[in-house]
mmCIF file of all heavy atoms in Angstrom:
data_model
loop_
_atom_site.group_PDB
_atom_site.id
_atom_site.type_symbol
_atom_site.label_atom_id
_atom_site.label_comp_id
_atom_site.label_asym_id
_atom_site.label_seq_id
_atom_site.Cartn_x
_atom_site.Cartn_y
_atom_site.Cartn_z
ATOM 1 N N ASP A 30 10.085 3.785 0.185
ATOM 2 C CA ASP A 30 9.670 3.978 -1.181
ATOM 3 C C ASP A 30 10.794 4.561 -2.036
ATOM 4 O O ASP A 30 11.862 4.879 -1.549
ATOM 5 C CB ASP A 30 8.414 4.873 -1.216
ATOM 6 C CG ASP A 30 8.679 6.305 -0.702
ATOM 7 O OD1 ASP A 30 9.843 6.619 -0.304
ATOM 8 O OD2 ASP A 30 7.729 7.149 -0.663
ATOM 9 N N ALA A 56 17.068 -10.683 15.152
ATOM 10 C CA ALA A 56 18.463 -10.664 15.553
ATOM 11 C C ALA A 56 19.389 -11.182 14.476
ATOM 12 O O ALA A 56 20.495 -10.661 14.301
ATOM 13 C CB ALA A 56 18.629 -11.512 16.837
ATOM 14 N N ILE A 79 22.711 2.105 5.182
ATOM 15 C CA ILE A 79 22.513 1.637 3.835
ATOM 16 C C ILE A 79 21.478 2.524 3.143
ATOM 17 O O ILE A 79 20.247 2.400 3.418
ATOM 18 C CB ILE A 79 22.045 0.161 3.818
ATOM 19 C CG1 ILE A 79 23.089 -0.745 4.453
ATOM 20 C CG2 ILE A 79 21.729 -0.281 2.401
ATOM 21 C CD1 ILE A 79 22.648 -2.163 4.728
ATOM 22 N N HIS A 82 20.441 4.976 -2.842
ATOM 23 C CA HIS A 82 20.481 6.127 -3.738
ATOM 24 C C HIS A 82 21.838 6.862 -3.542
ATOM 25 O O HIS A 82 22.446 7.291 -4.529
ATOM 26 C CB HIS A 82 19.343 7.099 -3.477
ATOM 27 C CG HIS A 82 19.388 8.312 -4.223
ATOM 28 N ND1 HIS A 82 19.129 8.411 -5.596
ATOM 29 C CD2 HIS A 82 19.751 9.636 -3.869
ATOM 30 C CE1 HIS A 82 19.279 9.655 -6.005
ATOM 31 N NE2 HIS A 82 19.646 10.415 -4.989
ATOM 32 N N GLU A 111 19.848 -11.408 -0.582
ATOM 33 C CA GLU A 111 19.384 -12.719 -1.075
ATOM 34 C C GLU A 111 19.409 -13.725 0.055
ATOM 35 O O GLU A 111 18.582 -14.727 0.025
ATOM 36 C CB GLU A 111 20.276 -13.153 -2.246
ATOM 37 C CG GLU A 111 19.872 -14.495 -2.886
ATOM 38 C CD GLU A 111 20.843 -14.957 -3.939
ATOM 39 O OE1 GLU A 111 21.950 -14.396 -4.062
ATOM 40 O OE2 GLU A 111 20.487 -15.906 -4.649
ATOM 41 N N LYS A 124 2.389 5.891 -13.043
ATOM 42 C CA LYS A 124 1.625 7.026 -12.715
ATOM 43 C C LYS A 124 0.768 7.564 -13.895
ATOM 44 O O LYS A 124 -0.343 7.896 -13.764
ATOM 45 C CB LYS A 124 2.479 8.151 -12.164
ATOM 46 C CG LYS A 124 3.210 7.766 -10.851
ATOM 47 C CD LYS A 124 3.907 8.963 -10.234
ATOM 48 C CE LYS A 124 5.029 9.513 -11.078
ATOM 49 N NZ LYS A 124 5.746 10.614 -10.411
ATOM 50 N N ASN A 150 -2.211 -10.871 3.500
ATOM 51 C CA ASN A 150 -2.393 -12.188 2.998
ATOM 52 C C ASN A 150 -1.184 -13.051 3.401
ATOM 53 O O ASN A 150 -1.308 -14.276 3.653
ATOM 54 C CB ASN A 150 -2.566 -12.200 1.501
ATOM 55 C CG ASN A 150 -3.970 -11.854 1.098
ATOM 56 O OD1 ASN A 150 -4.920 -12.209 1.772
ATOM 57 N ND2 ASN A 150 -4.099 -11.176 -0.031
ATOM 58 N N VAL A 152 0.552 -12.730 6.209
ATOM 59 C CA VAL A 152 0.356 -13.125 7.619
ATOM 60 C C VAL A 152 -0.715 -14.184 7.757
ATOM 61 O O VAL A 152 -0.622 -15.163 8.517
ATOM 62 C CB VAL A 152 0.037 -11.878 8.452
ATOM 63 C CG1 VAL A 152 -0.201 -12.258 9.914
ATOM 64 C CG2 VAL A 152 1.148 -10.822 8.400
ATOM 65 N N LYS A 170 4.941 15.055 8.016
ATOM 66 C CA LYS A 170 3.785 14.795 8.896
ATOM 67 C C LYS A 170 2.519 14.520 8.090
ATOM 68 O O LYS A 170 1.707 13.680 8.430
ATOM 69 C CB LYS A 170 3.492 16.009 9.840
ATOM 70 C CG LYS A 170 4.587 16.173 10.933
ATOM 71 C CD LYS A 170 4.243 17.282 11.828
ATOM 72 C CE LYS A 170 5.264 17.395 12.975
ATOM 73 N NZ LYS A 170 4.963 18.557 13.902
ATOM 74 N N ASP A 182 -8.416 2.889 7.491
ATOM 75 C CA ASP A 182 -9.594 2.621 6.659
ATOM 76 C C ASP A 182 -9.629 1.183 6.161
ATOM 77 O O ASP A 182 -10.700 0.558 6.093
ATOM 78 C CB ASP A 182 -9.573 3.588 5.431
ATOM 79 C CG ASP A 182 -9.867 5.010 5.803
ATOM 80 O OD1 ASP A 182 -10.408 5.260 6.899
ATOM 81 O OD2 ASP A 182 -9.573 5.898 4.972
ATOM 82 N N LYS A 186 -12.516 -2.377 6.756
ATOM 83 C CA LYS A 186 -13.268 -3.045 5.719
ATOM 84 C C LYS A 186 -12.296 -3.953 4.952
ATOM 85 O O LYS A 186 -11.049 -3.847 5.036
ATOM 86 C CB LYS A 186 -13.813 -2.037 4.734
ATOM 87 C CG LYS A 186 -12.803 -1.127 4.079
ATOM 88 C CD LYS A 186 -13.419 -0.060 3.181
ATOM 89 C CE LYS A 186 -12.387 0.820 2.578
ATOM 90 N NZ LYS A 186 -12.952 1.860 1.717
ATOM 91 N N ILE A 213 17.027 -2.056 4.477
ATOM 92 C CA ILE A 213 16.902 -3.129 3.457
ATOM 93 C C ILE A 213 15.724 -2.836 2.555
ATOM 94 O O ILE A 213 15.778 -3.012 1.342
ATOM 95 C CB ILE A 213 16.759 -4.496 4.115
ATOM 96 C CG1 ILE A 213 18.044 -4.825 4.971
ATOM 97 C CG2 ILE A 213 16.497 -5.564 3.106
ATOM 98 C CD1 ILE A 213 19.319 -4.774 4.131
ATOM 99 N N PHE A 219 14.789 0.749 -4.292
ATOM 100 C CA PHE A 219 15.720 1.340 -5.300
ATOM 101 C C PHE A 219 15.935 0.351 -6.430
ATOM 102 O O PHE A 219 16.001 0.702 -7.632
ATOM 103 C CB PHE A 219 17.015 1.748 -4.667
ATOM 104 C CG PHE A 219 17.896 2.579 -5.530
ATOM 105 C CD1 PHE A 219 17.604 3.950 -5.700
ATOM 106 C CD2 PHE A 219 18.953 1.999 -6.189
ATOM 107 C CE1 PHE A 219 18.458 4.712 -6.493
ATOM 108 C CE2 PHE A 219 19.813 2.859 -6.992
ATOM 109 C CZ PHE A 219 19.506 4.177 -7.165
ATOM 110 N N PHE A 258 1.193 -1.993 -11.563
ATOM 111 C CA PHE A 258 -0.174 -1.533 -11.915
ATOM 112 C C PHE A 258 -0.102 -0.076 -12.426
ATOM 113 O O PHE A 258 0.619 0.750 -11.900
ATOM 114 C CB PHE A 258 -1.046 -1.616 -10.677
ATOM 115 C CG PHE A 258 -2.513 -1.342 -11.010
ATOM 116 C CD1 PHE A 258 -3.320 -2.332 -11.509
ATOM 117 C CD2 PHE A 258 -3.013 -0.041 -10.786
ATOM 118 C CE1 PHE A 258 -4.679 -2.069 -11.799
ATOM 119 C CE2 PHE A 258 -4.350 0.235 -11.111
ATOM 120 C CZ PHE A 258 -5.195 -0.787 -11.609
ATOM 121 N N VAL A 260 -0.982 -2.441 -16.009
ATOM 122 C CA VAL A 260 -0.195 -3.096 -16.952
ATOM 123 C C VAL A 260 -0.965 -3.201 -18.289
ATOM 124 O O VAL A 260 -2.176 -3.076 -18.266
ATOM 125 C CB VAL A 260 0.291 -4.513 -16.532
ATOM 126 C CG1 VAL A 260 1.260 -4.376 -15.356
ATOM 127 C CG2 VAL A 260 -0.953 -5.351 -16.073
#
Side-chain angles (χ1 to χ4, degrees):
D30 62 2
I79 299 171
H82 174 74
E111 182 184 12
K124 298 189 295 184
N150 282 325
V152 178
K170 289 183 178 180
D182 289 344
K186 58 184 180 181
I213 297 304
F219 191 78
F258 188 82
V260 291

